[in-house]
Amino acid sequence: MSTDPKDDDSAVLSRRALLGASAAGGALLVAGRSASAATAGKPRADTRYPPGRPGRDYLPVAVPNGSKLPWKLVDGVKVFHMVAGEVDHELAPGLKAQCWGYNGRVHGPVIEAVEGDRVRLYVTNRLPTATTVHWHGMLLPNGMDGVGGLTQKAIAPGETFKYEFTLRQSGTVMYHSHHDEMTQIALGMTGLFVIHPRRPRRRVDRDFAIMLHEWRVDPGARRPNPNEMIEFNVLTMNAKAFPGTAPLVVRTGQRVRIRIGNLSPMEHHPIHLHGHQFRITETDGGEISEAAQWTETTVLVPVGSTRTIEFVADEPGDWAFHCHMTHHVMNQMGHGLPNLIGVKPGELDERVRKVVPGYMTMGQTGMADMGEMGMPVPRNSIPMLGGKGKHDTITMGGMFSVLKTRDGIRSYKDPGWYENPPGTLAIAAEPADLRRDGIDAERPPAAEDDSAA
Ligand SMILES: [Cu+2]
């Protein structure tokens, strides 16, 4: 620490000197308490523990559609090797993209370690341009922060840089390129960094990690467009758009944690889980004290943040888990269409068919038909919506997945669709039901005007 009296640190130094001389008055003690409160629960920078081991010190996270970065131990330090480079990635069946990522994956593999671990991360640059890796949300020495130009020289193509620090916190943080961010993040150069607590206060049975992203991939093109700032047309969870997303499979009664990170270029995502109430237990700033946690069914995950939710999977079934922005559960072809709701094409179709064989006006009742009809799409593009569901076409795409809760399962393989027990599935009403309850579809009761209440 600098001892230059001109430093802004001089106030801190003088306080320490006073405390050391046991001449502290009330006001000084208050200052000391607030300083320690800010670092409460965080090991000091030099606190090292033996390297945390999966299975013994933590339950490894599950990464649907994703991967994890392997590590090896060298003299008590966990050593990782990341390689930045071009990646051919499938965003959804039928939609391939030329992205940039790490170790052949988009997004980069999840890095998993334990509070107090010393980590050494090598980064080899195989991109045609310079890059860096920023450890987003990490408490570390300034020179390890990975901001090109500001805290380090950018890593030139072909070079390998080394980052090394001790993990002073627990929770879900992230990593991403911090050099030409607009291009490199838009092309996929992001990843999650999960740090398990040394002494966990809450235990779960399933621990999922999901990174959100949004892309602009013009139909027929393969290169995501990093210059887009508004109209993203592919929305992903772990870099997959529905129906490409793998389900989250759990056994009934398990305690479930889902860590959600968002390094989309521009948009925040309100992620909604059906059929459950969950608690928001952590942010990228760490654990939220129990008294401050609250119950939700939708958690907003802003750009540049992580949110962790926890719940008990107490109700078997296939539960939708998705962004609640309607255009974020829509795929590539669904945006910027003319509004044809209620339009009656009359003889138009027949006349246009003389010029364009097979032409049919669509969209007069909305977009659902297009998913069901398997609307033809250009090469290397995906329909706006539509995955096959058990009962019908699922009229969603994009940032959509399914929590599959099953009784007594031994494997977390996709168990297929849920078999609803008799009497627990919405079906067409029987005439006997309508008669018993006095329901006449032709004569519904008028809504009661409530304005006088
Ligand atoms: Cu969204």
Side-chain angles (χ1 to χ4, degrees), residues 192-204:
L192 289 167
F193 198 133
V194 173
I195 310 166
H196 295 276
R198 189 57 62 164
R199 290 182 206 86
R201 270 177 284 196
R202 304 181 320 279
R203 295 196 182 269
V204 294

Side-chain angles (χ1 to χ4, degrees), residues 212 214 235 267-271 323-325 327-329 399:
L212 309 176
E214 59 197 6
L235 284 291
E267 290 172 301
H268 318 307
H269 302 290
I271 302 295
C323 180
H324 219 289
M325 301 255 198
H327 271 263
H328 292 184
V329 285
M399 219 173 246

Side-chain angles (χ1 to χ4, degrees), residues 63-405:
V63 193
N65 300 110
S67 62
K68 288 196 226 175
L69 193 63
W71 50 270
K72 57 184 172 187
L73 265 187
V74 180
D75 300 330
V77 178
K78 283 185 180 170
V79 176
F80 298 83
H81 185 195
M82 300 167 71
V83 181
E86 182 111 15
V87 182
D88 275 324
H89 175 69
E90 188 185 72
L91 289 163
L95 179 59
K96 295 244 173 75
Q98 282 175 285
C99 302
W100 288 0
Y102 300 94
N103 302 65
R105 303 295 297 225
V106 171
H107 305 288
V110 171
I111 299 175
E112 195 170 26
V114 181
E115 181 183 23
D117 280 351
R118 181 81 174 169
V119 296
R120 193 178 301 136
L121 303 123
Y122 291 92
V123 180
T124 298
N125 182 5
R126 300 229 178 285
L127 291 169
T129 184
T131 192
T132 65
V133 180
H134 164 57
W135 314 99
H136 179 118
M138 193 75 80
L139 306 176
L140 38 55
N142 179 250
M144 294 292 164
D145 198 39
V147 182
L150 177 67
T151 65
Q152 70 167 84
K153 205 168 150 358
I155 310 168
E159 284 186 328
T160 298
F161 266 46
K162 183 183 79 172
Y163 297 89
E164 181 164 344
F165 42 89
T166 300
L167 304 179
R168 298 158 55 192
Q169 67 201 100
S170 65
T172 311
V173 295
M174 302 185 279
Y175 64 86
H176 63 81
S177 159
H178 221 307
H179 181 82
D180 189 8
E181 298 79 359
M182 186 188 83
T183 303
Q184 300 194 3
I185 290 178
L187 290 178
M189 299 189 73
T190 72
L192 289 167
F193 198 133
V194 173
I195 310 166
H196 295 276
R198 189 57 62 164
R199 290 182 206 86
R201 270 177 284 196
R202 304 181 320 279
R203 295 196 182 269
V204 294
D205 307 301
R206 293 286 274 155
D207 193 338
F208 295 98
I210 290 178
M211 178 66 100
L212 309 176
H213 206 71
E214 59 197 6
W215 316 74
R216 174 75 195 196
V217 188
D218 289 313
R222 289 175 77 94
R223 181 72 77 185
N225 180 0
N227 303 325
E228 181 59 58
M229 57 189 282
I230 299 170
E231 297 191 350
F232 299 94
N233 60 1
V234 180
L235 284 291
T236 54
M237 290 176 154
N238 283 344
K240 292 284 183 184
F242 185 77
T245 50
L248 285 65
V249 181
V250 307
R251 187 164 59 241
T252 311
Q254 286 186 315
R255 288 203 58 83
V256 181
R257 173 183 295 149
I258 308 178
R259 307 163 186 263
I260 311 165
N262 182 10
L263 283 173
S264 302
M266 298 297 292
E267 290 172 301
H268 318 307
H269 302 290
I271 302 295
H272 178 54
L273 174 62
H274 289 215
H276 297 76
Q277 297 170 334
F278 54 74
R279 282 181 159 247
I280 302 168
T281 55
E282 292 180 7
T283 71
D284 30 349
E287 196 172 322
I288 302 171
S289 73
E290 207 164 310
Q293 294 172 10
W294 65 27
T295 311
E296 281 277 16
T297 67
T298 299
V299 57
L300 181 64
V301 190
V303 173
S305 306
T306 73
R307 295 287 183 268
T308 296
I309 64 169
E310 291 178 21
F311 56 94
V312 177
D314 51 6
E315 191 66 40
D318 291 338
W319 299 106
F321 175 67
H322 63 95
C323 180
H324 219 289
M325 301 255 198
T326 57
H327 271 263
H328 292 184
V329 285
M330 174 71 75
N331 285 333
Q332 215 183 11
M333 301 295 292
H335 310 269
L337 292 171
N339 180 5
L340 295 177
I341 307 279
V343 168
K344 297 187 175 58
E347 289 170 16
L348 176 77
D349 283 14
E350 222 166 293
R351 288 161 74 176
V352 176
R353 267 199 289 272
K354 288 181 187 147
V355 191
V356 185
Y359 172 84
M360 203 172 115
T361 303
M362 294 183 75
Q364 302 98 304
T365 61
M367 302 300 151
D369 291 352
M370 306 202 190
E372 282 156 26
M373 295 186 63
M375 189 177 72
V377 295
R379 257 171 61 142
N380 197 45
S381 59
I382 45 176
M384 60 179 75
L385 47 83
K388 248 190 96 53
K390 175 178 159 69
H391 304 281
D392 231 326
T393 300
I394 298 171
T395 55
M396 299 185 118
M399 219 173 246
F400 178 93
S401 189
V402 182
L403 171 75
K404 295 192 172 188
T405 306

Side-chain angles (χ1 to χ4, degrees), residues 406-430:
R406 297 290 186 277
D407 293 338
I409 49 170
R410 297 245 174 96
S411 144
Y412 295 126
K413 269 202 346 252
D414 186 344
W417 300 114
Y418 182 60
E419 286 299 331
N420 308 85
T424 66
L425 176 66
I427 50 169
E430 299 285 348

